[in-house]
Amino acid sequence: MKKIFLWSCLILLYQVSSGQILTIVDAQNNEPLEAAAIISDSPSAFTTTNVKGQADISKFKGSNQIQIRMIGYEIIVKSYEAFKQQSFRVLLNTSALNLDQVVISASRSKQISTYVPERISVISSKEVSLQNPQTAADLLTISGEVYMQKSQQGGGSPMIRGFSTNRLLYTVDGVRMNTAIFRSGNLQNVISLDPFAIEKTEILFGPGSNIYGSDAIGGVMSFKTLTPQLSLDENPLVSGSAVVRYSSANQEKTGHFNVKFGWKKWAILSSFSTNDFGDLSMGSNGPDDYLRPYFVKRKDSMDVVVANEDPKVQNPTGYSQINMMQKIRFKPNEKWDFQYGFHYSETSEYGRYDRHQQLRNGLPRYGEWAYGPQKWMMNNLNITHQNKTAMFDEFTIRLAQQSFEESRISRDFNRPTRETRLEEVEAYSFNMDFNKKIGSRNDFFYGVEGVLDDVTSTGTDLNIMTGATGAASPRYPKALWGSYAVYVNNQFQATEKLMIQGGLRYSNFQLEADFDNTLFPYPITSASLKSDALTASLGLVFRPIEDLVFTANAATGFRSPNLDDIGKVFDSEPGSVVVPNANLQAEYAYSLDVGFAAKINDFLKLDATAYYTLLDNAMVRRDFTLNGSDSVFYDGELSQVQAIQNAAQSEVFGIQAGIEVELAKGFGLSSQFNFQKGEEELDDGSRSPSRHVAPMFGVTRLTYHYNKLDLQFYAEYNAQRNADDMPEEELAKTEFYALDGNGEAFSPGWYTLNFKAMYRLNETVHISAGLENITDQRYRPYSSGISAAGRNFLMSVRARF
């Protein structure tokens, strides 16, 4: 009898202790769902499920409303007791029609998206697994709301709401990635990120300067990488995955693995990826202007023009890349969470394909033009503390150090001098973000930020015939760039249906640069800039009924002059040279957008946002003088002098819209549509279409999900931009664009049809396959210097444990 009583007590004790572990699985295939968000307002609590679909909800005890949210699944709201009655096991049904999802990019803290007046798009890891993007640039296009420009295969410069390059901001785990040498020309820094190591991507549209500071004019791209997971019991939690992938259009060979070990208080995570991309093949059906009939080859100490055996192969475009990530997590108790992350990325040298298409006197302009290895390293420490005090409920400290290295290698056709320009940036940042709930109606967010960039630039000329080397003028002067800021943001629940959000940010930015006149006759020996910026935002969210939301947001954004604006000397195009201008000031954006989202009868979701942005005091490249002269000899060529100046205004307006329909028996239909128009002011006061305003573009997807199978057939499309609608500066780039009947550059419209499939053989092995650009279209996205892939077969195998 005593033994029976003892065993009964042990069983009861086990049920009480283990009953606080909630398990969430897919209702169709019973697979555990990782990264499902579990939220409670009273008591205030938040957690996510681990790789086993489990989470400890001890701190949720007594809650009358616990929300479970996950992208692609229905929302469940129940009390703690209700979950207890169903043995703490939850089955989630798929659904693409949620108006709400958990986001962090709007305020650096967890929020429900429908309480945020800004438009935010979220890309889940599940969608990434199905689509199999080769780079982080390709990953962003999954949203259907980001346009991607490429000058070479190892590239990707996003366009968002008519802005690009250094008017957009990147963050990785909350750390600013933009540096003092982010330029107005197309960028490729985003490819340093590893798609396999990204847990979630958020894209915030419109100015985000209130929270993120300089550069956040067109939008913010926030990447959250994989998180080490703690064990919920005394047994270690061990998990991981390995992936191999092949793509036919560029003979891609990719491998990846990650492994996680978790204990009660400690957890570690290791991730490694390797990519090898061959030369990219374009499609068969499209403009012949894009074909590559020749390439340059070095033979017998001479540059010779060689016929391309297959003009659809874009030579040289191949490159390779490695990515590594190591994370350590320590959580001594429920109040403190320490996470350290190490990231490293390095590419091989890769050709800048657009420059290889340029001609001079009927011959190729360059014998060589390549970017040297692009390297990025980051060390970051995240400290989160939760404790209700008079000043905060939670704060997060982010300390980060980043190292960037990039270079440019060029040599004119049959000339012996190879010019190498190397740039290195050491970037240091500090962020401290607080949030505090004041009463039942106010959520208060505030914080401070400090950023310091140390830039070193060198130039070297090598005579490839004799081996002699010598110092040459660098791209940038030696410089320090700093930004220091404080911000406040408040959400006020005015009524049950109306939320008002407002915020302010004060930023001070400084730049000190020293010019070396021994190699180039700079007009100055040093430059010093000290200025500040004040930005504000005011938005509202009105939800008259549960399934209908209206939003409106007015915001200002700014971009402070960086070293690329003030201190750069470079050849922007043949016959032009850009020189420093120490009199620059910040440019400001004034933006207004209104939108709505509606869910109708549990089968239809509609959303749309209309926006307008005015960019004032815009920094643009204009003709200039150097020591009283409008032309100088640069790299042996007489060149027109230009400089970046506060000389123009530009404006952009547009619409972003989406529709999602849940059809019968696992089928779904969705579409994203983007229309924008923009103009900028030219030297003579006339107006021209803005360079970074993409043509109308969108994507339509037909999806099917049943048990262990996911299928997707989709079309991507892009409207034509005729010569009379082309930006003034693009019309001269006839080597990049197709030519119309008058010999003028234009960007033809295009479409692709694509099919993707993913099947889960069992809990361990998942197989993905796809056929992209089924009709083998030959096309080149607007403003790009390289054609997109032709028909492409891809296949990947993922093993999970």
Side-chain angles (χ1 to χ4, degrees):
M1 191 68 179
K2 290 182 179 179
K3 289 184 178 180
I4 294 175
F5 177 75
L6 179 60
W7 277 110
S8 299
C9 290
L10 289 173
I11 292 171
L12 180 61
L13 180 63
Y14 172 78
Q15 287 177 338
V16 170
S17 61
S18 63
Q20 294 170 343
I21 303 300
L22 184 71
T23 301
I24 303 176
V25 299
D26 185 293
Q28 281 193 0
N29 56 37
N30 212 38
E31 286 195 352
L33 296 178
E34 184 179 1
I38 306 170
I39 311 161
S40 170
D41 288 331
S42 179
S44 179
F46 177 88
T47 190
T48 57
T49 53
N50 63 19
V51 69
K52 294 182 177 181
Q54 296 179 334
D56 185 350
I57 62 169
S58 304
K59 55 188 176 182
F60 292 75
K61 191 170 184 178
S63 175
N64 291 321
Q65 277 199 336
I66 298 176
Q67 305 173 47
I68 297 178
R69 300 175 180 272
M70 187 171 184
I71 299 172
Y73 287 87
E74 64 180 352
I75 297 173
I76 288 182
V77 182
K78 290 185 177 182
S79 68
Y80 182 91
E81 287 301 317
F83 285 125
K84 184 177 180 180
Q85 289 174 12
Q86 59 189 63
S87 302
F88 293 104
R89 184 175 175 83
V90 179
L91 305 179
L92 282 191
N93 291 302
T94 57
S95 174
L97 302 185
N98 296 330
L99 298 183
D100 307 320
Q101 49 195 328
V102 178
V103 296
I104 60 173
S105 57
S107 64
R108 291 185 178 270
S109 295
K110 295 176 287 289
Q111 295 177 279
I112 304 301
S113 58
T114 47
Y115 294 105
V116 175
E118 298 95 339
R119 185 182 182 92
I120 297 177
S121 180
V122 179
I123 303 172
S124 69
S125 58
K126 180 181 178 180
E127 186 67 14
V128 172
S129 296
L130 175 64
Q131 293 297 334
N132 276 295
Q134 292 189 349
T135 68
D138 299 330
L139 183 154
L140 288 167
T141 64
I142 293 174
S143 67
E145 298 183 88
V146 176
Y147 197 86
M148 195 61 59
Q149 182 278 347
K150 292 187 178 182
S151 298
Q152 64 281 329
Q153 186 176 198
S157 190
M159 296 182 184
I160 298 177
R161 288 192 173 185
F163 295 98
S164 187
T165 62
N166 54 14
R167 290 177 181 142
L168 301 176
L169 188 78
Y170 305 87
T171 71
V172 183
D173 291 337
V175 177
R176 176 190 180 92
M177 196 180 187
N178 293 42
T179 71
I181 63 170
F182 265 42
R183 57 190 181 273
S184 57
N186 297 310
L187 298 167
Q188 60 267 6
N189 298 74
V190 71
I191 69 167
S192 292
L193 304 179
D194 181 6
F196 291 107
I198 295 173
E199 189 172 272
K200 183 181 180 183
T201 302
E202 296 180 17
I203 306 159
L204 183 149
F205 296 92
S209 290
N210 259 22
I211 303 297
Y212 295 99
S214 179
D215 303 0
I217 288 179
V220 177
M221 291 157 285
S222 175
F223 300 91
K224 184 180 184 297
T225 61
L226 298 173
T227 303
Q229 297 178 355
L230 299 167
S231 176
L232 300 178
D233 53 37
E234 298 302 324
N235 298 315
L237 176 64
V238 181
S239 64
S241 66
V243 183
V244 291
R245 185 175 65 212
Y246 170 80
S247 298
S248 63
N250 57 358
Q251 303 297 304
E252 177 208 13
K253 295 174 281 293
T254 285
H256 164 81
F257 79 88
N258 68 74
V259 60
K260 307 172 188 175
F261 296 93
W263 296 269
K264 293 283 286 185
K265 296 183 178 181
W266 289 88
I268 60 174
L269 181 153
S270 300
S271 173
F272 178 81
S273 297
T274 177
N275 310 93
D276 183 78
F277 305 112
D279 290 333
L280 182 65
S281 295
M282 67 181 80
S284 303
N285 305 306
D288 290 343
D289 306 80
Y290 299 153
L291 292 172
R292 178 71 165 158
Y294 67 88
F295 60 90
V296 175
K297 185 177 181 180
R298 190 76 177 168
K299 185 177 181 181
D300 297 329
S301 301
M302 292 184 63
D303 292 328
V304 294
V305 179
V306 178
N308 193 356
E309 293 182 1
D310 185 353
K312 294 184 294 183
V313 176
Q314 299 171 94
N315 183 341
T317 54
Y319 75 103
S320 60
Q321 181 170 338
I322 60 168
N323 283 83
M324 294 182 285
M325 183 176 73
Q326 181 68 53
K327 286 191 171 184
I328 301 173
R329 183 180 184 185
F330 175 54
K331 190 173 183 180
N333 52 49
E334 288 298 318
K335 292 185 176 181
W336 290 96
D337 194 348
F338 300 82
Q339 293 190 43
Y340 164 76
F342 169 79
H343 305 256
Y344 183 78
S345 173
E346 181 175 349
T347 71
S348 65
E349 182 179 300
Y350 52 96
R352 181 166 171 179
Y353 183 73
D354 62 344
R355 291 295 177 100
H356 284 275
Q357 299 171 76
Q358 293 181 346
L359 300 175
R360 181 165 55 185
N361 299 325
L363 291 172
R365 175 177 171 82
Y366 295 102
E368 300 177 50
W369 214 118
Y371 287 108
Q374 178 173 294
K375 301 177 183 179
W376 171 65
M377 182 184 73
M378 180 170 76
N379 292 278
N380 71 303
L381 177 64
N382 260 6
I383 304 172
T384 301
H385 180 56
Q386 295 178 334
N387 187 25
K388 290 194 174 184
T389 69
M391 297 298 296
F392 62 85
D393 294 335
E394 178 181 280
F395 72 74
T396 300
I397 297 174
R398 295 180 179 90
L399 301 170
Q401 176 271 329
Q402 298 179 80
S403 297
F404 299 83
E405 180 182 312
E406 58 187 57
S407 57
R408 294 157 179 80
I409 304 164
S410 63
R411 183 178 57 80
D412 286 352
F413 187 75
N414 270 327
R415 297 288 178 86
T417 303
R418 177 187 293 144
E419 302 159 359
T420 300
R421 302 296 183 265
L422 173 68
E423 287 78 53
E424 297 173 295
V425 180
E426 293 295 321
Y428 308 90
S429 62
F430 166 81
N431 291 87
M432 195 165 185
D433 303 297
F434 301 83
N435 65 67
K436 174 66 182 174
K437 193 170 186 66
I438 303 174
S440 60
R441 294 190 174 189
N442 282 282
D443 286 308
F444 194 57
F445 307 92
Y446 62 101
V448 295
E449 179 184 69
V451 179
L452 179 66
D453 288 356
D454 186 351
V455 182
T456 302
S457 181
T458 57
T460 304
D461 287 348
L462 168 68
N463 188 310
I464 63 172
M465 302 294 291
T466 66
T469 61
S473 58
R475 184 177 173 88
Y476 301 108
K478 175 70 176 174
L480 290 173
W481 181 89
S483 174
Y484 313 95
V486 58
Y487 76 89
V488 294
N489 201 49
N490 186 64
Q491 282 190 343
F492 174 59
Q493 196 69 43
T495 69
E496 185 180 346
K497 299 178 179 180
L498 178 65
M499 189 279 296
I500 301 172
Q501 176 179 288
L504 290 169
R505 180 188 179 101
Y506 170 77
S507 300
N508 175 270
F509 48 90
Q510 305 175 14
L511 187 147
E512 300 286 341
D514 295 317
F515 296 84
D516 183 356
N517 288 341
T518 61
L519 297 170
F520 189 85
Y522 293 101
I524 52 178
T525 58
S526 64
S528 179
L529 173 68
K530 294 182 181 180
S531 191
D532 49 23
L534 182 66
T535 53
S537 67
L538 179 64
L540 61 86
V541 177
F542 178 57
R543 194 166 193 164
I545 58 176
E546 181 65 23
D547 292 334
L548 179 62
V549 180
F550 295 98
T551 60
N553 193 57
T556 57
F558 79 99
R559 186 174 78 82
S560 64
N562 64 18
L563 185 62
D564 187 79
D565 301 309
I566 292 179
K568 176 172 58 177
V569 172
F570 79 113
D571 57 328
S572 61
E573 55 193 13
S576 296
V577 58
V578 176
V579 300
N581 177 11
N583 299 314
L584 281 174
Q585 299 177 0
E587 58 186 17
Y588 280 87
Y590 304 90
S591 181
L592 174 67
D593 57 88
V594 294
F596 82 95
K599 181 179 175 182
I600 302 172
N601 295 332
D602 290 328
F603 81 94
L604 175 65
K605 176 186 172 183
L606 300 170
D607 70 85
T609 303
Y611 60 88
Y612 171 83
T613 303
L614 172 68
L615 185 66
D616 192 28
N617 219 27
M619 288 182 270
V620 291
R621 192 170 65 232
R622 294 288 185 262
D623 289 346
F624 199 61
T625 59
L626 178 62
N627 296 330
S629 176
D630 62 2
S631 300
V632 296
F633 278 93
Y634 180 71
D635 283 341
E637 183 174 347
L638 185 65
S639 301
Q640 168 69 50
V641 175
Q642 297 182 324
I644 306 297
Q645 303 171 55
N646 296 109
Q649 279 190 342
S650 65
E651 57 183 356
V652 181
F653 64 90
I655 296 174
Q656 296 170 274
I659 181 172
E660 296 180 54
V661 184
E662 281 199 353
L663 305 173
K665 298 181 179 180
F667 284 95
L669 182 68
S670 67
S671 189
Q672 291 294 143
F673 170 82
N674 304 269
F675 170 82
Q676 50 271 310
K677 280 287 186 180
E679 288 188 340
E680 61 185 6
E681 186 180 346
L682 299 178
D683 286 342
D684 59 3
S686 63
R687 310 283 288 183
S688 167
S690 295
R691 176 189 173 193
H692 294 303
V693 173
M696 186 278 291
F697 69 97
V699 60
T700 298
R701 307 180 191 273
L702 176 65
T703 61
Y704 176 74
H705 172 74
Y706 176 72
N707 202 353
K708 299 180 178 182
L709 178 66
D710 284 285
L711 302 176
Q712 189 174 115
F713 179 76
Y714 63 100
E716 295 179 330
Y717 36 87
N718 185 124
Q720 179 164 300
R721 175 162 281 182
N722 294 318
D724 57 3
D725 194 35
M726 290 284 285
E728 190 73 21
E729 61 183 301
E730 295 295 290
L731 286 172
K733 300 176 182 178
T734 53
E735 66 272 20
F736 301 158
Y737 289 99
L739 302 180
D740 63 17
N742 298 319
E744 293 184 303
F746 79 109
S747 182
W750 53 265
Y751 75 93
T752 64
L753 302 178
N754 315 271
F755 176 76
K756 297 288 174 65
M758 182 166 64
Y759 183 70
R760 303 159 186 82
L761 287 176
N762 48 50
E763 290 185 2
T764 301
V765 180
H766 295 183
I767 296 177
S768 297
L771 189 61
E772 298 173 331
N773 194 0
I774 296 172
T775 57
D776 204 26
Q777 298 297 304
R778 182 186 304 146
Y779 70 99
R780 183 169 291 186
Y782 165 73
S783 192
S784 293
I786 185 172
S787 297
R791 184 182 295 118
N792 179 44
F793 170 76
L794 64 92
M795 183 173 183
S796 73
V797 179
R798 179 187 297 265
R800 301 180 63 181
F801 59 89

